[in-house]
Amino acid sequence: MNHNLDKSYQDDILIVDDTPDNLRLLSAMLTKQGFEVRKALTGQAAIASALADAPDLILLDIKMPTMSGYEVCQQLKANPRTEQIPVIFISALDDVIDKVKAFAAGGIDYVTKPFQEAEVLARINNQLNLQRLQKQLIEQNRELARSNRELAQFAYVVSHDLQQPLQSITGFAKLLLLKYGADLDTTAHEYLNRITDSGNRMQRLIQDLLSYAQVDKQAELELLDCNLILEQVLDNLQSTITEKNVTLTYVPLPKVMGSETQLIQLFQNLISNGIKFARPGVLPAIDISIEEYPGHCLFKIQDNGIGIAAENLERVFEVFYRLHSTKEYPGTGIGLATCKKIVEFHGGEIWVTSELGSGTTFCFTLVTPSPLL
Ligand code: ADP
Protein backbone atom coordinates (compact mmCIF):
# COMPACT_ATOMS: atom_id res chain seq x y z
CA MET A 1 0.00 0.00 0.00
CA ASN A 2 1.25 3.45 -0.79
CA HIS A 3 2.08 4.93 2.53
CA ASN A 4 1.13 8.48 1.56
CA LEU A 5 -2.33 7.69 0.24
CA ASP A 6 -4.27 7.13 3.44
CA LYS A 7 -3.23 10.04 5.64
CA SER A 8 -2.48 13.71 5.52
CA TYR A 9 0.54 13.95 7.83
CA GLN A 10 3.97 12.38 7.62
CA ASP A 11 4.64 9.43 9.90
CA ASP A 12 7.51 10.09 12.23
CA ILE A 13 10.02 7.24 12.55
CA LEU A 14 12.86 7.01 15.06
CA ILE A 15 15.81 4.90 13.86
CA VAL A 16 18.18 3.65 16.54
CA ASP A 17 21.47 2.10 15.45
CA ASP A 18 25.04 2.48 16.69
CA THR A 19 26.42 2.08 13.15
CA PRO A 20 26.26 5.46 11.34
CA ASP A 21 26.28 3.72 7.95
CA ASN A 22 23.14 1.76 8.80
CA LEU A 23 21.46 4.89 10.10
CA ARG A 24 22.25 6.76 6.90
CA LEU A 25 21.05 3.93 4.69
CA LEU A 26 17.72 3.46 6.49
CA SER A 27 17.20 7.18 6.88
CA ALA A 28 17.71 7.85 3.16
CA MET A 29 15.39 4.97 2.26
CA LEU A 30 12.58 6.18 4.52
CA THR A 31 12.95 9.89 3.75
CA LYS A 32 12.63 9.05 0.07
CA GLN A 33 9.31 7.35 0.85
CA GLY A 34 7.95 10.45 2.54
CA PHE A 35 8.56 9.55 6.19
CA GLU A 36 9.82 12.04 8.69
CA VAL A 37 12.95 10.47 10.16
CA ARG A 38 14.78 10.95 13.46
CA LYS A 39 18.03 9.22 14.36
CA ALA A 40 19.67 8.04 17.58
CA LEU A 41 23.06 6.38 17.94
CA THR A 42 22.51 4.99 21.45
CA GLY A 43 19.71 3.49 23.51
CA GLN A 44 19.79 6.37 25.99
CA ALA A 45 19.44 8.94 23.21
CA ALA A 46 16.55 6.93 21.74
CA ILE A 47 14.63 6.84 25.03
CA ALA A 48 15.19 10.58 25.57
CA SER A 49 13.97 11.30 22.03
CA ALA A 50 10.86 9.10 22.42
CA LEU A 51 10.01 10.69 25.77
CA ALA A 52 10.42 14.21 24.42
CA ASP A 53 8.06 13.53 21.51
CA ALA A 54 6.67 10.04 20.85
CA PRO A 55 7.39 8.89 17.29
CA ASP A 56 4.85 6.81 15.33
CA LEU A 57 7.28 3.88 15.14
CA ILE A 58 10.77 2.92 16.26
CA LEU A 59 13.28 0.87 14.27
CA LEU A 60 15.61 -0.46 16.94
CA ASP A 61 18.97 -2.20 16.51
CA ILE A 62 19.42 -5.13 18.91
CA LYS A 63 23.19 -5.19 19.31
CA MET A 64 24.37 -1.87 20.66
CA PRO A 65 27.33 -1.45 23.04
CA THR A 66 26.14 0.37 26.22
CA MET A 67 22.47 -0.53 26.20
CA SER A 68 21.06 -3.37 24.08
CA GLY A 69 17.95 -2.99 21.97
CA TYR A 70 16.09 -5.36 24.35
CA GLU A 71 16.78 -3.09 27.31
CA VAL A 72 15.69 -0.01 25.36
CA CYS A 73 12.49 -1.75 24.32
CA GLN A 74 11.76 -2.96 27.85
CA GLN A 75 12.18 0.54 29.21
CA LEU A 76 9.94 2.01 26.52
CA LYS A 77 7.25 -0.60 27.21
CA ALA A 78 7.45 0.01 30.96
CA ASN A 79 6.70 3.70 30.57
CA PRO A 80 3.03 4.64 29.92
CA ARG A 81 4.21 7.59 27.81
CA THR A 82 6.04 5.36 25.36
CA GLU A 83 4.45 1.89 25.74
CA GLN A 84 2.13 2.36 22.75
CA ILE A 85 4.91 3.05 20.24
CA PRO A 86 5.39 0.03 17.97
CA VAL A 87 9.00 -1.21 17.95
CA ILE A 88 10.47 -3.11 15.01
CA PHE A 89 13.82 -4.69 15.82
CA ILE A 90 16.78 -4.69 13.47
CA SER A 91 18.59 -7.98 13.89
CA ALA A 92 21.55 -9.70 12.34
CA LEU A 93 20.67 -12.30 9.71
CA ASP A 94 18.83 -15.37 11.08
CA ASP A 95 19.63 -14.97 14.73
CA VAL A 96 16.80 -17.16 16.09
CA ILE A 97 17.42 -16.52 19.79
CA ASP A 98 17.50 -12.78 19.18
CA LYS A 99 14.03 -12.84 17.62
CA VAL A 100 12.42 -14.76 20.48
CA LYS A 101 13.98 -12.39 22.99
CA ALA A 102 12.92 -9.44 20.87
CA PHE A 103 9.24 -10.43 21.01
CA ALA A 104 9.50 -11.10 24.74
CA ALA A 105 10.87 -7.59 25.23
CA GLY A 106 7.78 -6.10 23.55
CA GLY A 107 8.87 -5.79 19.92
CA ILE A 108 6.16 -6.43 17.31
CA ASP A 109 8.27 -7.33 14.31
CA TYR A 110 11.83 -7.46 13.07
CA VAL A 111 13.85 -6.81 9.94
CA THR A 112 17.17 -8.43 9.22
CA LYS A 113 20.41 -6.92 8.03
CA PRO A 114 21.36 -6.60 5.19
CA PHE A 115 18.10 -4.77 4.42
CA GLN A 116 15.77 -5.45 1.56
CA GLU A 117 14.10 -2.15 0.92
CA ALA A 118 10.71 -3.53 -0.10
CA GLU A 119 10.53 -5.80 2.95
CA VAL A 120 11.49 -3.05 5.41
CA LEU A 121 8.88 -0.71 3.91
CA ALA A 122 6.18 -3.40 3.90
CA ARG A 123 6.79 -4.21 7.56
CA ILE A 124 6.82 -0.55 8.57
CA ASN A 125 3.63 0.26 6.69
CA ASN A 126 1.98 -2.84 8.04
CA GLN A 127 2.65 -1.81 11.63
CA LEU A 128 1.71 1.82 11.03
CA ASN A 129 -1.61 0.74 9.54
CA LEU A 130 -2.27 -1.61 12.46
CA GLN A 131 -1.42 1.17 14.87
CA ARG A 132 -3.75 3.57 13.05
CA LEU A 133 -6.60 1.04 13.07
CA GLN A 134 -6.06 0.35 16.75
CA LYS A 135 -6.15 4.08 17.55
CA GLN A 136 -9.33 4.38 15.51
CA LEU A 137 -10.91 1.46 17.41
CA ILE A 138 -9.99 2.94 20.79
CA GLU A 139 -11.42 6.29 19.70
CA GLN A 140 -14.63 4.69 18.41
CA ASN A 141 -15.04 2.66 21.59
CA ARG A 142 -14.61 5.76 23.68
CA GLU A 143 -17.19 7.55 21.54
CA LEU A 144 -19.61 4.63 21.79
CA ALA A 145 -19.26 4.47 25.57
CA ARG A 146 -19.87 8.22 25.74
CA SER A 147 -23.02 8.12 23.62
CA ASN A 148 -24.29 5.09 25.58
CA ARG A 149 -23.81 7.00 28.80
CA GLU A 150 -25.64 9.99 27.33
CA LEU A 151 -28.49 7.82 26.11
CA ALA A 152 -28.89 6.18 29.51
CA GLN A 153 -28.84 9.60 31.12
CA PHE A 154 -31.44 10.82 28.64
CA ALA A 155 -33.70 7.81 29.27
CA TYR A 156 -33.34 8.40 32.98
CA VAL A 157 -34.17 12.12 32.86
CA VAL A 158 -37.09 11.69 30.48
CA SER A 159 -38.59 8.83 32.48
CA HIS A 160 -38.12 10.70 35.68
CA ASP A 161 -39.68 13.92 34.36
CA LEU A 162 -42.64 12.07 32.86
CA GLN A 163 -43.69 10.73 36.24
CA GLN A 164 -44.89 14.06 37.60
CA PRO A 165 -47.44 14.98 34.88
CA LEU A 166 -48.58 11.38 34.75
CA GLN A 167 -49.31 11.36 38.45
CA SER A 168 -51.39 14.51 37.95
CA ILE A 169 -53.40 12.85 35.18
CA THR A 170 -54.22 9.70 37.13
CA GLY A 171 -54.64 11.69 40.37
CA PHE A 172 -57.23 14.05 38.85
CA ALA A 173 -59.04 11.15 37.19
CA LYS A 174 -59.37 9.56 40.65
CA LEU A 175 -60.51 12.86 42.15
CA LEU A 176 -63.10 13.29 39.42
CA LEU A 177 -64.45 9.82 40.13
CA LEU A 178 -64.48 10.42 43.86
CA LYS A 179 -66.20 13.83 43.79
CA TYR A 180 -68.48 13.57 40.78
CA GLY A 181 -68.73 9.79 40.26
CA ALA A 182 -72.38 9.70 41.33
CA ASP A 183 -73.36 12.29 38.67
CA LEU A 184 -71.57 10.57 35.78
CA ASP A 185 -73.15 8.09 33.38
CA THR A 186 -71.61 4.72 32.48
CA THR A 187 -69.79 6.07 29.40
CA ALA A 188 -68.07 8.74 31.49
CA HIS A 189 -67.13 6.04 34.03
CA GLU A 190 -65.68 3.92 31.24
CA TYR A 191 -63.63 6.87 29.96
CA LEU A 192 -62.29 7.55 33.42
CA ASN A 193 -61.38 3.87 33.85
CA ARG A 194 -59.53 3.97 30.58
CA ILE A 195 -57.58 7.05 31.67
CA THR A 196 -56.64 5.29 34.93
CA ASP A 197 -55.68 2.04 33.17
CA SER A 198 -53.54 3.81 30.59
CA GLY A 199 -51.96 5.92 33.30
CA ASN A 200 -51.10 2.82 35.35
CA ARG A 201 -49.62 1.12 32.31
CA MET A 202 -47.54 4.16 31.52
CA GLN A 203 -46.41 4.30 35.13
CA ARG A 204 -45.14 0.70 34.83
CA LEU A 205 -43.42 1.52 31.56
CA ILE A 206 -41.66 4.46 33.16
CA GLN A 207 -40.64 2.38 36.20
CA ASP A 208 -39.27 -0.36 33.94
CA LEU A 209 -37.41 2.15 31.77
CA LEU A 210 -35.94 3.77 34.85
CA SER A 211 -34.63 0.48 36.20
CA TYR A 212 -33.29 -0.44 32.74
CA ALA A 213 -31.45 2.88 32.45
CA GLN A 214 -30.05 2.56 35.95
CA VAL A 215 -28.49 -0.91 35.76
CA ASP A 216 -24.89 0.15 35.24
CA LYS A 217 -25.10 3.09 37.61
CA GLN A 218 -24.79 0.89 40.67
CA ALA A 219 -21.21 -0.25 40.40
CA GLU A 220 -20.75 -1.88 43.81
CA LEU A 221 -20.61 -5.68 43.71
CA GLU A 222 -20.55 -7.55 47.01
CA LEU A 223 -20.59 -11.15 48.17
CA LEU A 224 -24.24 -12.23 48.21
CA ASP A 225 -26.03 -15.39 49.25
CA CYS A 226 -28.42 -16.29 46.42
CA ASN A 227 -30.62 -18.24 48.88
CA LEU A 228 -31.42 -14.94 50.60
CA ILE A 229 -32.03 -13.26 47.25
CA LEU A 230 -34.47 -16.00 46.29
CA GLU A 231 -36.17 -15.79 49.70
CA GLN A 232 -36.73 -12.06 49.16
CA VAL A 233 -38.07 -12.64 45.62
CA LEU A 234 -40.49 -15.34 46.77
CA ASP A 235 -41.67 -13.01 49.48
CA ASN A 236 -42.27 -10.24 46.91
CA LEU A 237 -44.19 -12.67 44.68
CA GLN A 238 -46.06 -14.39 47.53
CA SER A 239 -49.56 -13.22 46.60
CA THR A 240 -49.16 -14.19 42.89
CA ILE A 241 -47.69 -17.58 43.85
CA THR A 242 -50.63 -18.35 46.12
CA GLU A 243 -53.24 -16.92 43.77
CA LYS A 244 -51.97 -18.87 40.74
CA ASN A 245 -51.20 -22.03 42.71
CA VAL A 246 -47.59 -22.11 41.53
CA THR A 247 -45.40 -25.14 42.26
CA LEU A 248 -41.85 -24.02 43.02
CA THR A 249 -38.86 -26.34 43.31
CA TYR A 250 -35.26 -25.27 43.90
CA VAL A 251 -31.89 -26.45 45.14
CA PRO A 252 -29.55 -24.69 47.62
CA LEU A 253 -27.93 -21.79 45.78
CA PRO A 254 -24.32 -20.55 45.94
CA LYS A 255 -22.83 -17.22 46.96
CA VAL A 256 -22.03 -14.88 44.09
CA MET A 257 -20.53 -11.45 43.53
CA GLY A 258 -23.39 -9.08 42.82
CA SER A 259 -25.55 -6.07 43.47
CA GLU A 260 -28.45 -7.07 45.73
CA THR A 261 -31.19 -4.94 44.15
CA GLN A 262 -30.17 -6.01 40.66
CA LEU A 263 -30.06 -9.73 41.43
CA ILE A 264 -33.46 -9.51 43.11
CA GLN A 265 -34.72 -7.83 39.94
CA LEU A 266 -33.11 -10.53 37.76
CA PHE A 267 -34.58 -13.51 39.65
CA GLN A 268 -37.93 -11.76 40.08
CA ASN A 269 -38.29 -10.87 36.38
CA LEU A 270 -37.49 -14.43 35.28
CA ILE A 271 -39.64 -16.18 37.88
CA SER A 272 -42.60 -13.85 37.37
CA ASN A 273 -42.35 -14.32 33.59
CA GLY A 274 -42.42 -18.08 34.15
CA ILE A 275 -45.64 -17.63 36.11
CA LYS A 276 -47.16 -15.04 33.75
CA PHE A 277 -46.60 -17.01 30.54
CA ALA A 278 -48.36 -20.14 31.83
CA ARG A 279 -50.33 -22.35 29.46
CA PRO A 280 -54.09 -21.91 29.79
CA GLY A 281 -55.44 -24.62 32.08
CA VAL A 282 -51.99 -25.75 33.27
CA LEU A 283 -50.82 -24.77 36.77
CA PRO A 284 -47.47 -23.00 36.61
CA ALA A 285 -44.45 -24.99 37.82
CA ILE A 286 -41.05 -23.29 38.18
CA ASP A 287 -37.82 -25.18 38.82
CA ILE A 288 -34.55 -23.50 39.74
CA SER A 289 -31.38 -25.54 39.32
CA ILE A 290 -27.66 -24.80 39.12
CA GLU A 291 -24.42 -26.15 37.69
CA GLU A 292 -21.27 -25.07 39.49
CA TYR A 293 -18.00 -24.44 37.66
CA PRO A 294 -14.69 -22.99 38.85
CA GLY A 295 -15.21 -19.23 39.08
CA HIS A 296 -18.85 -19.15 38.00
CA CYS A 297 -22.25 -20.74 38.46
CA LEU A 298 -24.86 -21.50 35.82
CA PHE A 299 -28.44 -20.87 36.96
CA LYS A 300 -31.42 -22.38 35.17
CA ILE A 301 -34.96 -21.13 35.68
CA GLN A 302 -37.33 -23.52 33.98
CA ASP A 303 -41.08 -23.20 33.51
CA ASN A 304 -43.85 -25.32 32.00
CA GLY A 305 -45.48 -22.40 30.18
CA ILE A 306 -46.41 -21.50 26.61
CA GLY A 307 -42.81 -21.58 25.33
CA ILE A 308 -41.14 -19.38 22.72
CA ALA A 309 -40.77 -20.23 19.03
CA ALA A 310 -37.17 -20.88 17.94
CA GLU A 311 -37.10 -17.84 15.61
CA ASN A 312 -37.93 -15.48 18.49
CA LEU A 313 -35.43 -16.81 21.04
CA GLU A 314 -32.74 -14.21 20.34
CA ARG A 315 -35.09 -11.25 20.06
CA VAL A 316 -36.81 -11.60 23.43
CA PHE A 317 -33.84 -9.82 25.04
CA GLU A 318 -34.42 -6.68 22.94
CA VAL A 319 -36.02 -3.67 24.59
CA PHE A 320 -39.79 -3.44 23.92
CA TYR A 321 -39.86 -6.78 22.08
CA ARG A 322 -43.06 -8.63 22.97
CA LEU A 323 -44.71 -11.61 21.35
CA HIS A 324 -48.20 -10.97 22.67
CA SER A 325 -50.61 -8.09 23.09
CA THR A 326 -50.94 -6.50 26.53
CA LYS A 327 -54.51 -7.79 26.59
CA GLU A 328 -53.29 -11.40 26.40
CA TYR A 329 -50.35 -10.93 28.76
CA PRO A 330 -49.66 -7.59 30.45
CA GLY A 331 -46.11 -6.23 30.30
CA THR A 332 -43.78 -3.64 28.84
CA GLY A 333 -41.18 -5.74 27.02
CA ILE A 334 -38.36 -4.26 29.08
CA GLY A 335 -37.95 -7.03 31.68
CA LEU A 336 -35.67 -9.37 29.74
CA ALA A 337 -33.62 -6.49 28.30
CA THR A 338 -33.01 -5.43 31.90
CA CYS A 339 -32.09 -9.02 32.86
CA LYS A 340 -29.55 -9.13 30.05
CA LYS A 341 -28.07 -5.81 31.06
CA ILE A 342 -27.85 -6.94 34.70
CA VAL A 343 -26.18 -10.27 33.87
CA GLU A 344 -23.69 -8.63 31.52
CA PHE A 345 -22.98 -5.90 34.04
CA HIS A 346 -22.12 -8.74 36.46
CA GLY A 347 -19.72 -10.29 33.95
CA GLY A 348 -22.01 -13.19 33.01
CA GLU A 349 -24.05 -14.39 30.03
CA ILE A 350 -27.76 -15.04 29.60
CA TRP A 351 -29.60 -17.16 27.04
CA VAL A 352 -32.84 -19.03 26.63
CA THR A 353 -33.91 -22.44 25.37
CA SER A 354 -37.53 -23.28 24.79
CA GLU A 355 -40.06 -25.55 23.20
CA LEU A 356 -43.25 -23.98 21.99
CA GLY A 357 -46.18 -25.34 23.96
CA SER A 358 -44.17 -27.13 26.65
CA GLY A 359 -41.92 -24.65 28.48
CA THR A 360 -38.96 -22.33 28.62
CA THR A 361 -35.61 -22.35 30.43
CA PHE A 362 -33.68 -19.15 31.05
CA CYS A 363 -29.98 -19.79 31.75
CA PHE A 364 -27.53 -17.26 33.09
CA THR A 365 -24.10 -17.28 34.67
CA LEU A 366 -22.81 -15.28 37.63
CA VAL A 367 -19.31 -14.98 39.02
CA THR A 368 -18.68 -16.98 42.20
CA PRO A 369 -16.01 -15.90 44.69
CA SER A 370 -12.68 -17.69 45.06
CA PRO A 371 -12.76 -20.43 47.79
CA LEU A 372 -10.88 -18.12 50.19
CA LEU A 373 -13.77 -15.67 50.50
P1 ADP B 1 -42.80 -8.51 29.30
O1 ADP B 1 -42.86 -9.70 30.20
O2 ADP B 1 -43.00 -7.23 30.03
O3 ADP B 1 -43.62 -8.64 28.09
P2 ADP B 1 -40.06 -9.27 28.91
O4 ADP B 1 -38.92 -8.47 28.41
O5 ADP B 1 -39.97 -9.82 30.28
O6 ADP B 1 -41.32 -8.36 28.76
O7 ADP B 1 -40.30 -10.46 27.91
C1 ADP B 1 -40.33 -10.21 26.50
C2 ADP B 1 -41.18 -11.25 25.81
O8 ADP B 1 -40.54 -12.52 25.86
C3 ADP B 1 -42.52 -11.46 26.47
O9 ADP B 1 -43.48 -10.52 26.02
C4 ADP B 1 -42.86 -12.89 26.04
O10 ADP B 1 -43.40 -12.89 24.74
C5 ADP B 1 -41.51 -13.57 25.97
N1 ADP B 1 -41.23 -14.32 27.23
C6 ADP B 1 -40.50 -13.90 28.28
N2 ADP B 1 -40.43 -14.84 29.24
C7 ADP B 1 -41.16 -15.89 28.79
C8 ADP B 1 -41.47 -17.19 29.32
N3 ADP B 1 -41.01 -17.60 30.51
N4 ADP B 1 -42.22 -18.01 28.55
C9 ADP B 1 -42.67 -17.61 27.33
N5 ADP B 1 -42.42 -16.41 26.80
C10 ADP B 1 -41.66 -15.55 27.49
Side-chain angles (χ1 to χ4, degrees):
M1 183 194 299
N2 187 328
H3 147 87
N4 281 322
L5 275 181
D6 54 341
K7 60 182 188 48
S8 52
Y9 71 97
Q10 285 184 310
D11 278 312
D12 170 15
I13 298 186
L14 171 63
I15 312 174
V16 193
D17 200 317
D18 62 319
T19 321
D21 280 351
N22 278 342
L23 271 187
R24 260 195 299 278
L25 180 78
L26 274 173
S27 171
M29 182 199 297
L30 296 178
T31 313
K32 199 173 74 194
Q33 291 295 324
F35 291 105
E36 201 175 290
V37 178
R38 283 191 249 168
K39 293 171 266 188
L41 277 164
T42 63
Q44 287 87 345
I47 292 172
S49 173
L51 277 173
D53 180 19
D56 293 306
L57 185 139
I58 299 177
L59 275 175
L60 180 58
D61 187 23
I62 290 177
K63 287 197 180 104
M64 293 187 292
T66 49
M67 194 179 190
S68 78
Y70 305 130
E71 283 174 77
V72 178
C73 191
Q74 270 161 359
Q75 287 201 19
L76 290 169
K77 295 293 159 189
N79 190 328
R81 280 165 63 196
T82 49
E83 67 178 349
Q84 299 297 338
I85 310 168
V87 173
I88 297 182
F89 279 110
I90 304 170
S91 85
L93 190 61
D94 285 340
D95 194 343
V96 176
I97 304 157
D98 274 1
K99 288 171 201 162
V100 173
K101 251 176 124 178
F103 283 120
I108 36 164
D109 204 354
Y110 61 90
V111 288
T112 42
K113 293 189 258 194
F115 304 118
Q116 284 208 346
E117 185 167 341
E119 185 198 336
V120 175
L121 287 175
R123 289 188 189 272
I124 290 176
N125 280 327
N126 201 8
Q127 291 307 331
L128 286 173
N129 281 334
L130 277 179
Q131 187 76 354
R132 224 167 279 140
L133 286 174
Q134 198 179 0
K135 271 191 196 146
Q136 232 174 48
L137 262 182
I138 292 172
E139 198 43 50
Q140 280 169 353
N141 271 346
R142 208 174 282 146
E143 181 57 25
L144 209 64
R146 193 190 56 77
S147 64
N148 270 347
R149 261 197 314 277
E150 273 183 16
L151 204 65
Q153 183 67 15
F154 174 76
Y156 180 77
V157 172
V158 169
S159 327
H160 199 265
D161 289 357
L162 280 175
Q163 292 201 91
Q164 193 81 48
L166 181 62
Q167 269 157 17
S168 296
I169 294 171
T170 48
F172 278 108
K174 263 189 210 131
L175 213 60
L176 211 60
L177 201 63
L178 208 68
K179 269 191 126 176
Y180 305 102
D183 304 330
L184 298 174
D185 63 11
T186 46
T187 316
H189 271 277
E190 196 200 316
Y191 289 173
L192 279 176
N193 280 339
R194 283 206 193 175
I195 292 175
T196 313
D197 283 353
S198 301
N200 289 341
R201 187 170 141 61
M202 193 161 163
Q203 181 64 36
R204 265 209 59 193
L205 196 66
I206 289 172
Q207 285 298 341
D208 287 357
L209 263 180
L210 272 175
S211 36
Y212 177 74
Q214 272 181 309
V215 168
D216 31 21
K217 282 199 172 167
Q218 305 176 352
E220 287 294 303
L221 298 191
E222 50 181 334
L223 187 61
L224 296 173
D225 184 345
C226 287
N227 297 299
L228 300 181
I229 302 273
L230 184 62
E231 204 174 288
Q232 178 69 58
V233 170
L234 298 186
D235 203 43
N236 296 346
L237 296 175
Q238 190 50 55
S239 59
T240 320
I241 291 173
T242 318
E243 183 195 322
K244 303 229 166 133
N245 222 337
V246 180
T247 311
L248 251 159
T249 47
Y250 51 91
V251 294
L253 302 178
K255 289 193 168 113
V256 298
M257 298 306 295
S259 138
E260 188 177 4
T261 31
Q262 291 189 14
L263 290 194
I264 289 179
Q265 217 178 338
L266 171 68
F267 278 89
Q268 189 158 327
N269 278 353
L270 295 177
I271 295 173
S272 55
N273 271 356
I275 300 172
K276 179 165 73 176
F277 294 103
R279 266 176 288 160
V282 179
L283 289 181
I286 311 279
D287 178 64
I288 303 170
S289 61
I290 56 163
E291 283 174 26
E292 291 189 89
Y293 298 96
H296 74 274
C297 181
L298 169 63
F299 294 78
K300 293 180 179 181
I301 300 187
Q302 185 178 15
D303 65 51
N304 61 342
I306 56 172
I308 304 169
E311 66 267 24
N312 297 323
L313 285 179
E314 269 304 308
R315 299 204 59 193
V316 291
F317 294 104
E318 289 172 19
V319 190
F320 301 130
Y321 189 77
R322 310 198 70 236
L323 295 164
H324 311 273
S325 70
T326 39
K327 272 218 177 84
E328 280 177 287
Y329 296 99
T332 57
I334 304 175
L336 287 180
T338 307
C339 288
K340 185 172 161 71
K341 216 171 158 193
I342 291 175
V343 171
E344 286 175 357
F345 175 68
H346 281 73
E349 282 179 76
I350 185 166
W351 66 95
V352 57
T353 56
S354 185
E355 205 165 309
L356 205 56
S358 68
T360 303
T361 306
F362 279 93
C363 303
F364 61 90
T365 59
L366 289 175
V367 174
T368 46
S370 70
L372 293 177
L373 281 173

